[in-house]
Amino acid sequence: MIGYFLSKIFSHFLLLLTIVSMVSLGLGTFTNLHAVAGITQLQEAPGQMVYQSRQTLKDQHGNSWQAIAFKRIPPNGKTSFDLRLVGFPGMVDIDRSKPLLLTNSLGGTSTADDTSSFIFTDLSTPEPSVGQYNLQPILSQLQVEIPLMLILSASNGEEIHLSVPPSFVQEWQTLFSSRE
């Protein structure tokens, strides 16, 4: 009788151990897939590659913005690294005469120049809720462990604040430093 109970307890223990092992391995697999899935690559033209990372950011009003960080490597090898911010159409008109302001929780600030003129085929009618900024000169200065805020100027004088999680900054730096 005691042998029967011990074998039952042992079999339940093995079952529990198997389940815990499978869950642990499964979570590790999904975590790695998520990290790898953040960066995509595409060939824009012969000899020109683009590597990009896409995330969603929220502004102070709860509106979603798409943040697309991308590294472009043209045939001449002169790499560029930009951040494109896309708001919902009709939500805001970005003031492209002002740079993107990056601030951290310690009071450090940097600016990124507007490069939106490179993305619109018709400069007389640029998309008002899309802005693009050159992050290359300042990306290595951003500290992953310090929270970051992006501040966009709107045409109506309002400032749009976008909170950037440290994992996004880390992904941008990984994208920029990769030697593809």
Side-chain angles (χ1 to χ4, degrees):
M1 189 77 162
I2 293 178
Y4 173 75
F5 286 116
L6 286 177
S7 69
K8 279 291 218 189
I9 289 173
F10 184 71
S11 66
H12 282 99
F13 174 75
L14 286 177
L15 178 62
L16 180 62
L17 184 62
T18 303
I19 292 171
V20 168
S21 297
M22 290 175 68
V23 167
S24 295
L25 290 173
L27 288 177
T29 302
F30 289 125
T31 301
N32 290 338
L33 284 177
H34 176 70
V36 171
I39 297 176
T40 58
Q41 77 177 49
L42 57 114
Q43 185 172 2
E44 283 187 317
Q48 181 164 308
M49 296 299 296
V50 172
Y51 301 87
Q52 63 180 241
S53 166
R54 293 176 179 253
Q55 296 103 1
T56 300
L57 301 175
K58 296 276 188 183
D59 66 20
Q60 73 269 30
H61 305 295
N63 298 315
S64 293
W65 288 73
Q66 186 173 51
I68 307 161
F70 60 96
K71 176 171 78 171
R72 180 171 280 123
I73 305 173
N76 68 9
K78 188 174 189 237
T79 301
S80 64
F81 192 87
D82 291 285
L83 177 65
R84 187 173 297 165
L85 299 170
V86 182
F88 192 80
M91 179 178 65
V92 67
D93 288 356
I94 297 172
D95 181 355
R96 292 191 192 85
S97 69
K98 296 183 181 167
L100 176 67
L101 181 64
L102 298 87
T103 64
N104 67 34
S105 61
L106 299 177
T109 61
S110 299
T111 58
D113 292 333
D114 181 85
T115 58
S116 300
S117 62
F118 296 121
I119 60 175
F120 301 114
T121 54
D122 183 0
L123 290 176
S124 64
T125 59
E127 192 62 41
S129 60
V130 178
Q132 183 169 295
Y133 304 90
N134 180 6
L135 288 188
Q136 189 165 345
I138 61 172
L139 191 60
S140 64
Q141 300 167 13
L142 302 179
Q143 297 174 317
V144 174
E145 59 280 350
I146 301 175
L148 182 66
M149 181 73 63
L150 304 178
I151 303 173
L152 277 170
S153 294
S155 297
N156 65 4
E158 180 184 8
E159 288 185 340
I160 306 299
H161 294 245
L162 302 166
S163 180
V164 180
S167 61
F168 290 7
V169 175
Q170 185 173 21
E171 189 167 304
W172 298 347
Q173 288 176 338
T174 300
L175 177 64
F176 178 67
S177 65
S178 66
R179 302 280 179 213
E180 300 295 330

